[in-house]
């Protein structure tokens, strides 16, 4: 009987954790779609999705190596759009890249300087 109650307790915790994760997953996907202005948008790769989730969870430091066009910009834009994220600092090595990033952030509704 004691083992039965331990199993029930573990299942309760797993269910609660799953619901919390599921809620966060849906919020991140909704935010991705808002940033991209596409109601059907999905992450390009599992690596991009994992990096966004880790950034949203405030995992630091976070290093994501993705190819050109792999969606690196969304790794900071999606978490920055979530409530209570605070300040996000992005270092862009090229002036043109910086200009493009600022434009995309402003277009997405982020306060960007």
């Amino acid at each position: 009987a004691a083992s039965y109650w331990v199993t029930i307790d573990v299942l309760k915790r797993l269910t609660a954790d799953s619901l919390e994760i599921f809620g966060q997953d849906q919020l991140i996907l909704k935010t991705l779609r808002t940033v991209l202005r596409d109601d059907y948008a999905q992450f390009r790769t599992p690596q991009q999705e994992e990096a966004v989730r880790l950034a949203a969870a405030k995992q630091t430091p976070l290093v994501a190596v993705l190819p050109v066009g792999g969606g690196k910009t969304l790794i900071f834009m999606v978490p920055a759009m979530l409530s209570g994220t605070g300040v996000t600092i992005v270092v862009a090595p090229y002036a043109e890249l910086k200009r493009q990033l600022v434009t995309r952030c402003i277009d997405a509704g982020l306060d960007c300087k």
Side-chain angles (χ1 to χ4, degrees):
S3 145
Y4 174 77
W5 290 111
V6 170
T7 303
I8 295 295
D9 185 51
V10 169
L11 286 173
K12 284 181 186 174
R13 282 187 278 135
L14 286 173
T15 303
D17 291 346
S18 298
L19 288 174
E20 183 176 313
I21 290 168
F22 180 75
Q24 182 72 3
D25 287 351
Q26 292 302 310
L27 180 59
I28 289 172
L29 186 58
K30 181 180 177 183
T31 305
L32 170 79
R33 292 173 175 170
T34 300
V35 168
L36 294 176
R37 296 184 181 146
D38 178 353
D39 292 338
Y40 303 100
Q42 296 289 324
F43 288 101
R44 289 184 180 179
T45 64
Q47 294 80 13
Q48 180 193 37
E49 183 176 5
E50 179 182 11
V52 169
R53 291 184 198 298
L54 289 171
K58 300 179 182 178
Q59 174 70 36
T60 170
L62 174 62
V63 177
V65 179
L66 297 171
V68 173
K72 293 178 288 293
T73 302
L74 292 175
I75 294 172
F76 74 83
M77 286 182 73
V78 171
M81 294 284 289
L82 297 172
S83 157
T85 55
V87 175
T88 301
I89 298 173
V90 178
V91 177
Y94 303 107
E96 179 59 21
L97 176 59
K98 178 183 173 187
R99 186 192 62 71
Q100 291 173 5
L101 289 174
V102 168
T103 300
R104 286 184 66 187
C105 288
I106 291 170
D107 289 347
L110 290 170
D111 180 21
C112 187
K113 297 176 179 31

